[in-house]
Amino acid sequence: MTQSQASRTTPHSGEPGGGMRPEIQALRAVAVTLVLLFHLWESRVPSGFIGVDVFFVISGFLITTQLLREVERTGSIRLLDFWARRIRRLLPAAFVVIAVTILAVTVVLPQSARTPSLLEAAASALYVENWASIARHLGFLPWVDYPLPVEHFWTLSVEEQFYLVWPILILAGLGIAAVGGRRRGMTRGRLQIVAVVMVCALLLSFAYSLWLTLRHPFHAERSTPSVVWEFAAGGLLALVPRLPELRLRARVIAAMHYVASWGGLAMIVGAALVPELMLHPAPGALLPVAGTVLVIWGETRRSWLSPTRYGSMRPVQFVGDVSYGIYLWHQPIYVLVLLSTGTNVRSVGALAVVAASILLGYLSKRFIEDPFRTSAFWKPLPRTYGFAAGGMLLIAALAAVAIAMSGG
Protein backbone atom coordinates (compact mmCIF):
# COMPACT_ATOMS: atom_id res chain seq x y z
CA MET A 1 0.00 0.00 0.00
CA THR A 2 1.50 3.32 -1.06
CA GLN A 3 1.11 6.80 0.32
CA SER A 4 -0.89 7.86 -2.73
CA GLN A 5 -3.31 5.02 -2.15
CA ALA A 6 -3.95 6.13 1.40
CA SER A 7 -4.72 9.63 0.19
CA ARG A 8 -7.74 8.50 -1.75
CA THR A 9 -10.51 7.35 0.53
CA THR A 10 -14.11 8.25 1.03
CA PRO A 11 -16.44 9.39 3.74
CA HIS A 12 -20.11 9.06 4.45
CA SER A 13 -22.31 11.87 5.60
CA GLY A 14 -25.66 13.52 5.10
CA GLU A 15 -28.84 12.45 6.76
CA PRO A 16 -29.48 9.09 8.41
CA GLY A 17 -30.91 6.19 6.54
CA GLY A 18 -34.49 6.49 7.74
CA GLY A 19 -36.64 7.84 4.93
CA MET A 20 -33.63 8.10 2.64
CA ARG A 21 -34.16 7.92 -1.10
CA PRO A 22 -33.16 4.41 -2.20
CA GLU A 23 -30.95 5.55 -5.08
CA ILE A 24 -28.89 7.64 -2.66
CA GLN A 25 -28.44 4.72 -0.29
CA ALA A 26 -27.47 2.57 -3.28
CA LEU A 27 -24.92 5.18 -4.33
CA ARG A 28 -23.47 5.08 -0.83
CA ALA A 29 -23.22 1.30 -1.04
CA VAL A 30 -21.46 1.55 -4.41
CA ALA A 31 -19.06 4.21 -3.14
CA VAL A 32 -17.99 2.43 0.03
CA THR A 33 -17.67 -0.86 -1.88
CA LEU A 34 -15.35 0.81 -4.38
CA VAL A 35 -13.17 2.07 -1.53
CA LEU A 36 -12.98 -1.37 0.09
CA LEU A 37 -12.09 -2.96 -3.24
CA PHE A 38 -9.47 -0.30 -3.91
CA HIS A 39 -7.75 -0.84 -0.56
CA LEU A 40 -7.96 -4.62 -0.51
CA TRP A 41 -7.89 -5.56 -4.20
CA GLU A 42 -6.33 -2.51 -5.82
CA SER A 43 -5.40 -4.30 -9.05
CA ARG A 44 -9.09 -5.03 -9.68
CA VAL A 45 -10.38 -1.52 -8.99
CA PRO A 46 -7.33 0.73 -9.47
CA SER A 47 -9.21 4.03 -9.15
CA GLY A 48 -11.79 3.03 -6.56
CA PHE A 49 -10.79 6.08 -4.56
CA ILE A 50 -13.34 8.02 -6.65
CA GLY A 51 -15.88 6.89 -4.06
CA VAL A 52 -14.86 10.06 -2.23
CA ASP A 53 -16.20 12.13 -5.12
CA VAL A 54 -19.50 10.28 -5.03
CA PHE A 55 -19.90 11.00 -1.34
CA PHE A 56 -18.97 14.65 -1.68
CA VAL A 57 -21.72 15.16 -4.26
CA ILE A 58 -24.24 13.30 -2.11
CA SER A 59 -23.32 15.46 0.88
CA GLY A 60 -23.65 18.67 -1.10
CA PHE A 61 -27.05 17.61 -2.39
CA LEU A 62 -28.49 16.49 0.95
CA ILE A 63 -27.16 19.37 3.00
CA THR A 64 -28.27 21.99 0.48
CA THR A 65 -31.71 20.39 0.26
CA GLN A 66 -32.00 20.53 4.04
CA LEU A 67 -30.89 24.16 4.17
CA LEU A 68 -33.25 25.26 1.39
CA ARG A 69 -36.17 23.58 3.12
CA GLU A 70 -35.34 25.48 6.28
CA VAL A 71 -35.27 28.73 4.33
CA GLU A 72 -38.65 27.91 2.78
CA ARG A 73 -40.05 27.12 6.22
CA THR A 74 -38.51 29.88 8.34
CA GLY A 75 -37.04 32.41 5.92
CA SER A 76 -33.48 31.87 7.21
CA ILE A 77 -31.00 29.30 8.54
CA ARG A 78 -30.31 28.68 12.22
CA LEU A 79 -26.60 28.02 12.02
CA LEU A 80 -26.10 26.71 15.55
CA ASP A 81 -28.94 24.21 15.15
CA PHE A 82 -27.60 23.07 11.77
CA TRP A 83 -24.08 22.55 13.08
CA ALA A 84 -25.44 20.76 16.16
CA ARG A 85 -27.26 18.26 13.97
CA ARG A 86 -24.01 17.57 12.13
CA ILE A 87 -22.22 17.04 15.45
CA ARG A 88 -24.82 14.56 16.72
CA ARG A 89 -24.85 12.75 13.40
CA LEU A 90 -21.13 12.35 12.73
CA LEU A 91 -18.93 12.89 15.78
CA PRO A 92 -19.94 10.17 18.28
CA ALA A 93 -18.96 7.19 16.11
CA ALA A 94 -15.89 9.01 14.85
CA PHE A 95 -14.68 9.70 18.38
CA VAL A 96 -15.09 6.04 19.32
CA VAL A 97 -13.11 4.86 16.30
CA ILE A 98 -10.28 7.33 16.94
CA ALA A 99 -10.07 6.43 20.64
CA VAL A 100 -10.04 2.69 19.91
CA THR A 101 -7.40 3.23 17.23
CA ILE A 102 -5.16 5.15 19.65
CA LEU A 103 -5.34 2.28 22.12
CA ALA A 104 -4.71 -0.28 19.35
CA VAL A 105 -1.70 1.66 18.07
CA THR A 106 -0.10 1.66 21.52
CA VAL A 107 -0.63 -2.10 21.83
CA VAL A 108 0.08 -3.33 18.31
CA LEU A 109 2.82 -1.08 16.97
CA PRO A 110 6.38 -0.76 18.25
CA GLN A 111 7.20 2.48 20.05
CA SER A 112 9.31 3.78 17.16
CA ALA A 113 6.35 3.58 14.75
CA ARG A 114 3.61 5.08 16.90
CA THR A 115 4.13 8.84 16.69
CA PRO A 116 2.92 9.48 13.09
CA SER A 117 -0.26 7.49 13.68
CA LEU A 118 -0.94 9.21 17.01
CA LEU A 119 -0.40 12.68 15.52
CA GLU A 120 -2.90 11.85 12.78
CA ALA A 121 -5.35 10.65 15.44
CA ALA A 122 -5.14 13.96 17.30
CA ALA A 123 -5.62 15.90 14.05
CA SER A 124 -8.57 13.68 13.13
CA ALA A 125 -10.26 14.34 16.46
CA LEU A 126 -9.91 18.08 15.81
CA TYR A 127 -11.14 17.65 12.21
CA VAL A 128 -8.03 19.17 10.65
CA GLU A 129 -6.51 15.91 9.45
CA ASN A 130 -6.50 17.04 5.83
CA TRP A 131 -4.30 20.00 6.70
CA ALA A 132 -2.13 17.88 9.01
CA SER A 133 -1.47 15.42 6.19
CA ILE A 134 -0.52 18.28 3.87
CA ALA A 135 1.81 19.59 6.59
CA ARG A 136 3.33 16.13 6.83
CA HIS A 137 3.80 16.08 3.08
CA LEU A 138 5.57 19.46 3.29
CA GLY A 139 7.90 18.20 6.03
CA PHE A 140 6.40 20.01 9.01
CA LEU A 141 5.34 16.70 10.59
CA PRO A 142 7.07 13.28 10.52
CA TRP A 143 6.95 11.88 7.00
CA VAL A 144 6.04 8.25 6.29
CA ASP A 145 5.64 6.41 3.00
CA TYR A 146 2.88 4.10 4.22
CA PRO A 147 -0.79 4.60 5.13
CA LEU A 148 -1.80 5.50 8.67
CA PRO A 149 -4.77 4.03 10.61
CA VAL A 150 -6.96 7.16 10.69
CA GLU A 151 -5.54 8.97 7.69
CA HIS A 152 -8.88 8.49 5.96
CA PHE A 153 -10.30 11.13 8.32
CA TRP A 154 -9.00 13.76 5.93
CA THR A 155 -12.25 13.34 4.00
CA LEU A 156 -14.35 13.80 7.12
CA SER A 157 -12.33 16.88 7.99
CA VAL A 158 -13.03 18.33 4.55
CA GLU A 159 -16.75 17.65 4.98
CA GLU A 160 -16.93 19.28 8.41
CA GLN A 161 -15.12 22.33 7.07
CA PHE A 162 -17.58 22.44 4.18
CA TYR A 163 -20.48 22.29 6.65
CA LEU A 164 -19.07 25.31 8.45
CA VAL A 165 -18.88 27.48 5.33
CA TRP A 166 -21.70 26.36 3.01
CA PRO A 167 -24.70 27.58 5.04
CA ILE A 168 -22.93 30.90 5.51
CA LEU A 169 -22.61 31.22 1.72
CA ILE A 170 -26.32 30.52 1.32
CA LEU A 171 -27.10 33.11 3.99
CA ALA A 172 -24.88 35.55 2.12
CA GLY A 173 -26.96 34.96 -1.00
CA LEU A 174 -30.12 35.54 0.98
CA GLY A 175 -28.62 38.72 2.39
CA ILE A 176 -27.85 40.01 -1.10
CA ALA A 177 -31.43 39.21 -2.09
CA ALA A 178 -32.73 41.12 0.93
CA VAL A 179 -30.74 44.18 -0.05
CA GLY A 180 -32.36 43.93 -3.47
CA GLY A 181 -35.79 44.00 -1.88
CA ARG A 182 -36.69 40.33 -2.41
CA ARG A 183 -39.36 38.97 -0.10
CA ARG A 184 -38.80 36.39 2.59
CA GLY A 185 -39.05 32.72 1.77
CA MET A 186 -37.47 30.99 -1.21
CA THR A 187 -38.98 33.13 -3.97
CA ARG A 188 -37.70 32.81 -7.54
CA GLY A 189 -35.61 35.98 -7.15
CA ARG A 190 -33.93 34.76 -3.95
CA LEU A 191 -33.45 31.34 -5.51
CA GLN A 192 -31.67 32.86 -8.49
CA ILE A 193 -29.25 34.78 -6.28
CA VAL A 194 -28.49 31.72 -4.16
CA ALA A 195 -27.89 29.80 -7.40
CA VAL A 196 -25.46 32.48 -8.58
CA VAL A 197 -23.54 32.24 -5.29
CA MET A 198 -23.31 28.45 -5.67
CA VAL A 199 -22.18 28.69 -9.28
CA CYS A 200 -19.49 31.20 -8.33
CA ALA A 201 -18.28 28.88 -5.55
CA LEU A 202 -18.19 25.95 -7.98
CA LEU A 203 -16.29 27.82 -10.69
CA LEU A 204 -13.76 29.38 -8.33
CA SER A 205 -13.12 26.07 -6.60
CA PHE A 206 -12.80 24.19 -9.89
CA ALA A 207 -10.37 26.76 -11.29
CA TYR A 208 -8.26 26.57 -8.13
CA SER A 209 -8.44 22.78 -8.21
CA LEU A 210 -7.17 22.70 -11.81
CA TRP A 211 -4.27 24.97 -10.89
CA LEU A 212 -3.33 23.06 -7.74
CA THR A 213 -3.75 19.60 -9.28
CA LEU A 214 -1.22 20.42 -12.00
CA ARG A 215 1.32 21.56 -9.38
CA HIS A 216 0.65 19.54 -6.23
CA PRO A 217 -1.87 16.72 -6.83
CA PHE A 218 -1.58 15.39 -3.26
CA HIS A 219 -2.36 18.83 -1.85
CA ALA A 220 -5.21 19.30 -4.31
CA GLU A 221 -6.89 16.09 -3.16
CA ARG A 222 -6.82 17.15 0.49
CA SER A 223 -7.27 20.90 0.32
CA THR A 224 -10.82 21.89 1.14
CA PRO A 225 -11.07 24.78 -1.37
CA SER A 226 -9.98 22.50 -4.21
CA VAL A 227 -12.85 20.03 -3.71
CA VAL A 228 -15.67 22.43 -2.80
CA TRP A 229 -16.78 22.31 -6.44
CA GLU A 230 -17.80 18.66 -5.95
CA PHE A 231 -20.07 19.57 -3.04
CA ALA A 232 -21.36 22.56 -5.02
CA ALA A 233 -22.35 20.29 -7.91
CA GLY A 234 -24.63 18.41 -5.51
CA GLY A 235 -25.85 21.71 -4.07
CA LEU A 236 -26.88 23.01 -7.48
CA LEU A 237 -28.71 19.73 -8.10
CA ALA A 238 -30.80 20.49 -4.99
CA LEU A 239 -32.12 23.58 -6.77
CA VAL A 240 -33.50 21.59 -9.72
CA PRO A 241 -36.85 20.59 -8.10
CA ARG A 242 -37.45 24.28 -7.41
CA LEU A 243 -37.06 25.27 -11.07
CA PRO A 244 -39.90 25.30 -13.62
CA GLU A 245 -40.52 21.81 -14.99
CA LEU A 246 -39.94 20.97 -18.62
CA ARG A 247 -43.17 20.51 -20.54
CA LEU A 248 -42.51 17.13 -22.03
CA ARG A 249 -44.54 13.96 -22.29
CA ALA A 250 -44.39 11.67 -19.30
CA ARG A 251 -42.81 8.87 -21.34
CA VAL A 252 -40.06 11.17 -22.60
CA ILE A 253 -39.29 12.38 -19.07
CA ALA A 254 -39.24 8.79 -17.78
CA ALA A 255 -36.86 7.76 -20.56
CA MET A 256 -34.58 10.68 -19.70
CA HIS A 257 -34.47 9.53 -16.08
CA TYR A 258 -33.70 5.92 -17.04
CA VAL A 259 -30.88 6.97 -19.35
CA ALA A 260 -29.50 9.37 -16.75
CA SER A 261 -29.53 6.72 -14.01
CA TRP A 262 -27.83 4.00 -16.03
CA GLY A 263 -25.45 6.43 -17.70
CA GLY A 264 -24.45 7.97 -14.39
CA LEU A 265 -23.84 4.57 -12.82
CA ALA A 266 -21.71 3.55 -15.81
CA MET A 267 -19.67 6.74 -15.45
CA ILE A 268 -18.96 6.03 -11.78
CA VAL A 269 -17.97 2.39 -12.33
CA GLY A 270 -16.02 3.26 -15.46
CA ALA A 271 -14.01 5.91 -13.61
CA ALA A 272 -13.22 3.41 -10.84
CA LEU A 273 -11.86 0.91 -13.37
CA VAL A 274 -9.50 3.34 -15.10
CA PRO A 275 -5.95 1.98 -14.52
CA GLU A 276 -4.77 5.28 -13.04
CA LEU A 277 -7.16 8.21 -12.99
CA MET A 278 -4.88 11.15 -13.69
CA LEU A 279 -5.21 14.77 -12.62
CA HIS A 280 -7.48 14.10 -9.68
CA PRO A 281 -9.49 15.94 -8.38
CA ALA A 282 -9.59 18.30 -11.37
CA PRO A 283 -10.44 17.43 -14.02
CA GLY A 284 -10.23 13.74 -13.11
CA ALA A 285 -13.23 13.81 -10.76
CA LEU A 286 -15.56 15.25 -13.40
CA LEU A 287 -16.66 11.78 -14.51
CA PRO A 288 -17.74 10.40 -11.11
CA VAL A 289 -19.16 13.78 -10.05
CA ALA A 290 -21.29 14.04 -13.19
CA GLY A 291 -22.29 10.40 -12.85
CA THR A 292 -23.46 10.91 -9.27
CA VAL A 293 -25.46 13.97 -10.28
CA LEU A 294 -27.18 11.98 -13.03
CA VAL A 295 -28.05 9.05 -10.75
CA ILE A 296 -29.55 11.35 -8.10
CA TRP A 297 -31.46 13.30 -10.74
CA GLY A 298 -32.77 9.98 -12.09
CA GLU A 299 -34.75 9.65 -8.84
CA THR A 300 -36.81 6.69 -7.64
CA ARG A 301 -38.09 5.19 -10.85
CA ARG A 302 -39.09 1.65 -9.84
CA SER A 303 -39.49 0.15 -13.33
CA TRP A 304 -37.29 -2.78 -14.28
CA LEU A 305 -35.68 -0.31 -16.69
CA SER A 306 -34.27 1.69 -13.78
CA PRO A 307 -31.24 0.77 -11.63
CA THR A 308 -33.19 2.00 -8.61
CA ARG A 309 -35.20 -1.20 -8.65
CA TYR A 310 -32.04 -3.24 -8.16
CA GLY A 311 -30.43 -0.73 -5.83
CA SER A 312 -33.51 -0.97 -3.61
CA MET A 313 -32.76 -4.59 -2.71
CA ARG A 314 -32.31 -5.06 1.02
CA PRO A 315 -28.58 -6.03 1.01
CA VAL A 316 -27.70 -2.94 -1.03
CA GLN A 317 -29.77 -0.66 1.18
CA PHE A 318 -28.22 -2.22 4.30
CA VAL A 319 -24.68 -1.51 3.10
CA GLY A 320 -25.69 2.04 2.21
CA ASP A 321 -27.31 2.50 5.60
CA VAL A 322 -24.19 1.46 7.54
CA SER A 323 -21.65 2.81 5.04
CA TYR A 324 -20.47 5.55 7.40
CA GLY A 325 -19.47 2.99 10.02
CA ILE A 326 -17.92 0.71 7.40
CA TYR A 327 -15.84 3.60 6.17
CA LEU A 328 -14.75 4.60 9.68
CA TRP A 329 -13.62 1.12 10.71
CA HIS A 330 -12.15 -0.42 7.58
CA GLN A 331 -8.93 1.59 7.42
CA PRO A 332 -7.81 1.14 11.04
CA ILE A 333 -8.35 -2.60 10.67
CA TYR A 334 -6.43 -3.20 7.47
CA VAL A 335 -3.69 -0.63 8.16
CA LEU A 336 -2.95 -1.98 11.65
CA VAL A 337 -2.68 -5.45 10.13
CA LEU A 338 -0.33 -4.05 7.49
CA LEU A 339 1.85 -2.15 9.95
CA SER A 340 2.04 -4.96 12.50
CA THR A 341 2.75 -7.78 10.01
CA GLY A 342 4.47 -5.89 7.20
CA THR A 343 2.19 -7.44 4.56
CA ASN A 344 -1.12 -6.54 2.98
CA VAL A 345 -4.08 -8.77 3.73
CA ARG A 346 -4.96 -11.13 0.92
CA SER A 347 -7.84 -13.49 -0.02
CA VAL A 348 -9.39 -14.82 3.21
CA GLY A 349 -7.75 -12.08 5.25
CA ALA A 350 -9.21 -9.39 3.00
CA LEU A 351 -12.65 -10.95 3.27
CA ALA A 352 -12.25 -10.97 7.05
CA VAL A 353 -11.49 -7.23 6.97
CA VAL A 354 -14.64 -6.65 4.92
CA ALA A 355 -16.75 -8.75 7.29
CA ALA A 356 -15.33 -7.03 10.38
CA SER A 357 -15.90 -3.60 8.85
CA ILE A 358 -19.53 -4.39 8.04
CA LEU A 359 -20.15 -5.84 11.50
CA LEU A 360 -18.56 -2.89 13.28
CA GLY A 361 -20.35 -0.49 10.94
CA TYR A 362 -23.68 -2.02 11.90
CA LEU A 363 -22.85 -2.00 15.63
CA SER A 364 -21.75 1.62 15.40
CA LYS A 365 -25.00 2.65 13.81
CA ARG A 366 -27.14 0.60 16.15
CA PHE A 367 -25.48 1.52 19.43
CA ILE A 368 -23.66 4.82 18.81
CA GLU A 369 -24.95 6.79 15.82
CA ASP A 370 -28.70 6.31 16.23
CA PRO A 371 -28.84 6.74 20.04
CA PHE A 372 -26.88 9.99 19.91
CA ARG A 373 -28.79 11.31 16.94
CA THR A 374 -32.24 10.64 18.42
CA SER A 375 -31.60 11.12 22.15
CA ALA A 376 -33.45 14.03 23.72
CA PHE A 377 -30.62 14.36 26.23
CA TRP A 378 -28.23 15.70 23.58
CA LYS A 379 -30.73 18.03 21.88
CA PRO A 380 -29.91 21.16 23.95
CA LEU A 381 -27.20 23.12 22.16
CA PRO A 382 -24.90 23.54 25.20
CA ARG A 383 -24.75 19.76 25.66
CA THR A 384 -24.12 19.13 21.96
CA TYR A 385 -21.32 21.65 21.71
CA GLY A 386 -19.96 20.63 25.09
CA PHE A 387 -19.80 17.04 23.89
CA ALA A 388 -18.00 18.08 20.71
CA ALA A 389 -15.44 20.27 22.48
CA GLY A 390 -14.90 17.78 25.29
CA GLY A 391 -14.52 14.84 22.91
CA MET A 392 -12.03 16.67 20.72
CA LEU A 393 -9.89 17.79 23.65
CA LEU A 394 -10.06 14.44 25.45
CA ILE A 395 -8.99 12.42 22.42
CA ALA A 396 -6.27 14.91 21.50
CA ALA A 397 -4.99 14.68 25.08
CA LEU A 398 -5.13 10.87 24.92
CA ALA A 399 -3.03 10.95 21.74
CA ALA A 400 -0.57 13.40 23.36
CA VAL A 401 -0.14 11.13 26.40
CA ALA A 402 0.39 8.13 24.14
CA ILE A 403 3.03 10.06 22.17
CA ALA A 404 4.82 11.04 25.39
CA MET A 405 4.76 7.44 26.63
CA SER A 406 6.22 6.33 23.29
CA GLY A 407 9.06 8.81 23.58
CA GLY A 408 7.86 10.76 20.52
Side-chain angles (χ1 to χ4, degrees):
M1 186 66 63
T2 65
Q3 181 68 19
S4 63
Q5 286 175 286
S7 73
R8 294 161 174 168
T9 49
T10 178
H12 170 96
S13 64
E15 292 310 292
M20 179 59 64
R21 285 168 46 173
E23 74 278 5
I24 291 180
Q25 290 299 77
L27 275 173
R28 285 173 164 163
V30 169
V32 78
T33 299
L34 290 177
V35 173
L36 285 171
L37 293 175
F38 171 69
H39 280 148
L40 301 174
W41 293 280
E42 184 199 356
S43 61
R44 305 292 178 87
V45 189
S47 295
F49 56 82
I50 58 93
V52 66
D53 307 307
V54 174
F55 273 122
F56 283 170
V57 176
I58 292 173
S59 295
F61 172 76
L62 292 175
I63 293 306
T64 306
T65 298
Q66 180 187 124
L67 292 171
L68 293 179
R69 285 175 180 168
E70 183 172 355
V71 172
E72 291 169 343
R73 188 175 65 252
T74 68
S76 187
I77 297 170
R78 292 170 294 184
L79 289 174
L80 293 180
D81 287 339
F82 169 76
W83 291 327
R85 289 194 297 271
R86 297 295 86 213
I87 289 171
R88 292 192 294 268
R89 171 71 182 92
L90 298 175
L91 268 60
F95 284 165
V96 170
V97 171
I98 298 171
V100 170
T101 301
I102 290 173
L103 296 176
V105 164
T106 59
V107 172
V108 173
L109 301 186
Q111 287 189 354
S112 59
R114 294 176 188 171
T115 297
S117 296
L118 294 171
L119 286 173
E120 295 287 324
S124 297
L126 299 173
Y127 281 88
V128 293
E129 203 289 326
N130 59 320
W131 301 112
S133 61
I134 290 175
R136 176 161 46 84
H137 192 258
L138 292 172
F140 295 107
L141 292 173
W143 169 252
V144 294
D145 59 356
Y146 50 82
L148 298 172
V150 291
E151 191 175 353
H152 61 321
F153 269 74
W154 77 264
T155 51
L156 301 178
S157 299
V158 166
E159 288 212 22
E160 290 293 344
Q161 292 158 27
F162 167 77
Y163 296 150
L164 286 174
V165 174
W166 194 244
I168 296 175
L169 283 179
I170 294 178
L171 281 175
L174 295 174
I176 295 171
V179 171
R182 271 71 172 185
R183 292 173 297 174
R184 289 174 59 84
M186 191 52 73
T187 62
R188 179 172 296 184
R190 299 185 96 197
L191 187 66
Q192 289 172 344
I193 292 177
V194 170
V196 169
V197 171
M198 290 185 187
V199 169
C200 288
L202 186 151
L203 294 177
L204 288 173
S205 172
F206 187 76
Y208 175 69
S209 189
L210 280 173
W211 177 83
L212 191 59
T213 300
L214 291 172
R215 287 159 178 77
H216 305 288
F218 180 88
H219 300 177
E221 285 190 333
R222 303 203 175 192
S223 169
T224 304
S226 64
V227 296
V228 162
W229 67 272
E230 301 182 34
F231 294 96
L236 286 169
L237 180 62
L239 298 176
V240 171
R242 294 163 174 81
L243 299 175
E245 293 186 2
L246 293 174
R247 295 184 178 180
L248 299 174
R249 291 187 177 182
R251 289 184 179 181
V252 174
I253 295 176
M256 290 170 60
H257 282 275
Y258 298 147
V259 171
S261 295
W262 282 113
L265 186 60
M267 291 165 71
I268 294 169
V269 175
L273 296 177
V274 172
E276 180 61 33
L277 190 64
M278 303 300 291
L279 298 177
H280 187 271
L286 278 173
L287 197 62
V289 166
T292 306
V293 167
L294 288 174
V295 173
I296 297 175
W297 181 77
E299 296 182 355
T300 55
R301 308 287 170 165
R302 299 304 185 101
S303 165
W304 65 272
L305 293 171
S306 171
T308 300
R309 177 168 182 174
Y310 310 102
S312 298
M313 293 188 296
R314 183 166 295 182
V316 178
Q317 292 292 298
F318 171 79
V319 173
D321 203 31
V322 301
S323 57
Y324 179 52
I326 294 173
Y327 173 74
L328 287 177
W329 286 105
H330 86 280
Q331 179 142 330
I333 296 172
Y334 93 84
V335 170
L336 285 171
V337 171
L338 168 65
L339 297 182
S340 60
T341 65
T343 58
N344 279 315
V345 290
R346 290 287 183 261
S347 75
V348 175
L351 292 175
V353 170
V354 173
S357 300
I358 294 174
L359 175 61
L360 290 172
Y362 165 75
L363 293 175
S364 293
K365 186 177 189 307
R366 174 69 177 81
F367 296 106
I368 302 173
E369 295 177 47
D370 289 346
F372 269 86
R373 179 175 56 82
T374 59
S375 173
F377 178 82
W378 295 108
K379 293 292 184 182
L381 294 183
R383 287 179 182 169
T384 297
Y385 285 99
F387 165 78
M392 289 179 177
L393 294 176
L394 179 62
I395 294 176
L398 180 63
V401 170
I403 291 172
M405 293 176 60
S406 301

